[in-house]
Amino acid sequence: MKIIRRIAWVAVGFTYFLVALGGTVRVNDAGLSCPDWPLCYGRPFVFPNIRTLLEESHRYTASIVSILIVALAICALLWARKERQVLIPALIAPVLLVVQIVLGGLTVLWKLPPEIITAHLATALAIFATVITIAVMAGQPSPSQEHPAQTRRFLRLALTTALLVYGLMLSGSYVVGSGATFACTSWPLCGQTLPGMARLGDINTLHRLIATIVGLVVAWTLYTAWRRRQVAPGQARVAVAAALLFVLQSLIGGTIPLLGSGSLHFGSISNQDAATFMRGLHLAVASAVWGLLVLLAVLAARQLRAAPQGAELERLEATEAAARESVSPLRQTISGYIDLMKPHVTVLLLGTTAAAMAIAYQGLPPLGLTVATLLGGALAAGSANAINCYYDRDIDSIMSRTSRRSLPAGRVQPRQALIFGLALGVASFLILALFVNLLSAVLACGAILFYVGVYTMWLKRTTAQNIVIGGAAGAVPVLVGWAAVTGTISLPAIWLFAIIFYWTPPHFWALSLLIEKDYEKAHVPMLPVLFGEQETRKQIFLYSLLLLAVTLVLFAMRAMSYLYLAAALILGGILVYMALRLLWERHSRRWARTLFWYSNCYLAMIFAAMVLDRVIFH
């Protein structure tokens, strides 16, 4: 394993250099300095100018990376066949390499189409992540001093953050490829766009908005990693480095439009040369952020493999219980009321609401309207969740997953929780009615009533189809967002609703497989409790297929273009594959946990693809 680890770390260095060099080639317009491929003007060595040198250096670096990846695959087959955490990424890397080589050739032969360039970068970053995974997993993990549930939670956060940075980098790649780099004349706000570049200004602004959201998630990841520094000091240091580099690359990105508009100068260096340098540096630093976040996630995954068991796990649980009791009463009360609103659920709902607004507006809607809609939506979701916690406090106290919630734990009294939930609902209706429109307010209020009255009080305790029908409440936020922009509900909005409606069963049933015993103790008739695990796995697979079909309707009705079609096929295909593995592996719940986590990412990514599609092609 030592030789595999050493080769992998060498591959990490060369792959990073390859990505950074590719960015330099791109910003210097050197991609077509060699008009043919794989040779340059029919010869292996031609250096007539600096651009040709850059392009050929990029190709030769890619050759070195290719040799290292093939060597890793061979070594893994020889010496790591039983180490799946090493063998699987080592076999995936050559497949990605073939795709990368084909995309590199098409980039040149098809004269630098932005979509192919973006796909080329996406594959290179995926290869970078794969070799990092091999390098880390080939090492031996140290014994973990953290509860595995805490490690698993941080692993999910780190993976989510890394994927968001991945999407941010791809959106930045499209900004460059579409010619939108200098469409905005100021930073951090876009200010005025150049004449005739309004659409490109929207593309640039969307990238900045994504960067802001991702920056907040990176900050939360840093905060969480720093709190864990006693049990995972190495991960804390990696998170600090990633956060600092994220800030640095944001500042570098801010200099680019200022240089383009002439608002910033670097002495005797021309603004064009300075902007070119900054654009290359921007990608290089962003690639380092991506690599560090992948490293953070893989380190957490390796730590999870060494999680404590038996008596050591019981000791950790007792220590955590004592720590929770030592928290001040005021802090417990505040966190208790926040917990009633289920913020981890609300964030995803607000994301789909904002996406629906951008899709309906075919660009970025006014800031004031967006803030009012999201605030009203957050209060509506918090209201429904708080009243749900009030009504379900009896079964929440029985289920181990929910026994630490505010009401079962005694941090909030039932009557106060009910008043809090009702007050949030009233505030939501007033904000939406006064600052958005009446239709949005009525829809949000209707979602509260449906979630509480139909799902919580009736369906949840009476039928195995509870989550299928009750899932309609979670799909209403897209209608709220659409109505906020248009004042009406049209057919595309109905299909956005349908996507979330059909997404809910596989998402929630995957969770129900993991906590089946809880539902059985509480006498909640979830699907695996009444019909067994195998029927649940079958239904997850069927609903995943149905969800894939529903997502394609938006393309069929010409509401979306080929960019969305590609995203829907890839993301839906991954979901169907995971559901199929869950169906095949009857005696394992590993894929249930993976599918549950991915389904959250899936919903966020497919709505992000819709927004990109409408901003770019409206």
Side-chain angles (χ1 to χ4, degrees), residues 277-294:
F277 174 78
M278 287 298 182
R279 289 165 68 192
L281 185 61
H282 186 52
L283 176 62
V285 178
S287 300
V289 174
W290 159 249
L292 287 170
L293 288 172
V294 170

Side-chain angles (χ1 to χ4, degrees), residues 353-378:
T353 304
M357 295 181 71
I359 295 165
Y361 196 78
Q362 296 193 341
L364 301 178
L367 181 61
L369 177 65
T370 302
V371 171
T373 305
L374 295 182
L375 177 59

Side-chain angles (χ1 to χ4, degrees), residues 565-613:
L565 175 63
L569 288 172
I570 294 171
L571 296 172
I574 295 173
L575 183 67
V576 170
Y577 169 76
M578 289 183 174
L580 188 60
R581 290 297 301 268
L582 178 64
L583 181 62
W584 282 346
E585 298 187 12
R586 301 182 179 184
H587 303 294
S588 172
R589 297 185 180 181
R590 179 171 64 92
W591 282 100
R593 184 176 291 108
T594 303
L595 191 147
F596 176 72
W597 170 79
Y598 174 74
S599 62
N600 283 306
C601 299
Y602 168 86
L603 191 65
M605 288 188 289
I606 198 164
F607 271 85
M610 294 180 202
V611 174
L612 286 173
D613 187 281

